[in-house]
Amino acid sequence: MKTSAGLLLFRHTDEGLEVLLGHMGGPFFARRDAGAWSVPKGEYEPDSESAGDAARREFQEELGLPPPDGEAVPLGEVRQTNGKVVTAWALEADLDPATVVPGVFSMEWPPKSGQMREFPELDRVEWFGLDRARTVIVKAQAAFLDRLAEHSA
């Protein structure tokens, strides 16, 4: 079973609670919006790293910025349709999406072409109100939004 951990940044604005989500990079998600946005996260090996440490490391790798200081609020786990278990924490902070320098990954593209290409882990990072976030986030991760809303009420 694959495991992933991440940090969900949130902020309070005049329009209400907002969360920072990343649009998954690469050719599979290039033309998708619904279900193509995620908590900045990444895989880890539970035997060699705690989920909390992985969440902070992955934030740095995915966004190219150190995770903000502050008290992380546990949002628990969800199981995505691919079977991956994702653990997340919410952290109140403001971040300018223009400062993000995403990490990259390599894959053969086009398939069976023998050509390796690099793609950004996240090709966009944006702030969303909770209602809009629910329409674009990976379906299972919507539970994190609900748990954050309960915590912030």
Side-chain angles (χ1 to χ4, degrees):
M1 172 177 57
K2 291 187 177 184
T3 54
S4 229
L7 295 177
L8 177 63
L9 295 192
F10 69 97
R11 66 183 182 184
H12 295 276
T13 70
D14 292 341
E15 288 79 40
L17 190 62
E18 293 184 339
V19 294
L20 186 76
L21 300 178
H23 185 270
M24 292 180 273
F28 298 121
F29 298 99
R31 292 183 176 86
R32 290 182 53 198
D33 199 37
W37 293 81
S38 175
V39 172
K41 61 168 184 49
E43 291 184 9
Y44 72 101
E45 294 295 330
D47 294 341
S48 60
E49 183 177 28
S50 75
D53 288 344
R56 292 187 165 284
R57 176 183 52 76
E58 285 294 337
F59 186 93
Q60 173 93 39
E61 288 179 16
E62 296 274 318
L63 302 179
L65 301 169
D69 292 328
E71 183 181 339
V73 176
L75 298 177
E77 295 179 347
V78 298
R79 183 180 301 272
Q80 298 183 160
T81 55
N82 63 4
K84 182 184 289 183
V85 174
V86 179
T87 306
W89 287 263
L91 189 59
E92 187 167 9
D94 202 356
L95 181 147
D96 180 356
T99 62
V100 170
V101 182
V104 296
F105 69 96
S106 296
M107 67 179 285
E108 184 180 14
W109 191 259
K112 301 179 184 171
S113 67
Q115 298 176 346
M116 295 300 289
R117 293 190 43 203
E118 282 193 343
F119 296 95
E121 295 274 355
L122 300 172
D123 58 20
R124 287 175 283 170
V125 176
E126 293 180 25
W127 287 100
F128 291 93
L130 290 184
D131 289 341
R132 175 77 175 120
R134 282 186 185 92
T135 68
V136 298
I137 198 167
V138 171
K139 188 175 181 179
Q141 293 181 27
F144 294 142
L145 303 178
D146 297 338
R147 294 170 192 166
L148 174 61
E150 289 172 15
H151 169 77
S152 298

